[in-house]
Amino acid sequence: GLSKREEGGELLQYATAHRWKRCRGVHPGYQSRRALWSVGHAFKGTDIGVGIEGPPPGWQTPSPVTWWLHRFGWEVVAGEYLKMAYYHLRY
């Protein structure tokens, strides 16, 4: 799969080719911060507005209140903090 950074670049190419004025991505809540940062970084300097929409919590999206009570929550949410740190240092 593509990284969030690569997704941002591909979305920018598509949005530019189709002359979009704004677009919104859909990502699980725990990925939304990194996804918005990546897309915002890719679209920096353009006049295209970007946003992120999250689906409701479910089996693929840990609840923002109880994620820390489950192993899956630690795997995905805690992992996102490490990925965000990496992205900020690398890009």
Side-chain angles (χ1 to χ4, degrees):
L2 297 175
S3 71
K4 296 291 174 253
R5 182 172 176 262
E6 293 167 332
E7 287 176 2
E10 296 227 348
L11 182 57
L12 175 60
Q13 288 179 357
Y14 190 87
T16 302
H18 290 84
R19 298 183 179 158
W20 287 2
K21 296 293 183 195
R22 59 185 174 268
C23 62
R24 184 180 311 174
V26 178
H27 288 274
Y30 64 90
Q31 290 182 350
S32 61
R33 183 176 295 143
R34 183 168 52 104
L36 183 58
W37 184 87
S38 298
V39 171
H41 192 69
F43 281 67
K44 188 175 182 177
T46 72
D47 61 349
I48 302 171
V50 295
I52 297 292
E53 185 79 24
W59 70 271
Q60 290 184 318
T61 305
S63 166
V65 177
T66 61
W67 68 266
W68 55 275
L69 295 173
H70 308 281
R71 180 177 174 215
F72 177 69
W74 280 100
E75 290 172 3
V76 296
V77 175
E80 276 301 306
Y81 284 103
L82 294 173
K83 291 173 186 176
M84 275 300 297
Y86 174 78
Y87 272 52
H88 280 286
L89 293 172
R90 176 100 165 118
Y91 308 111

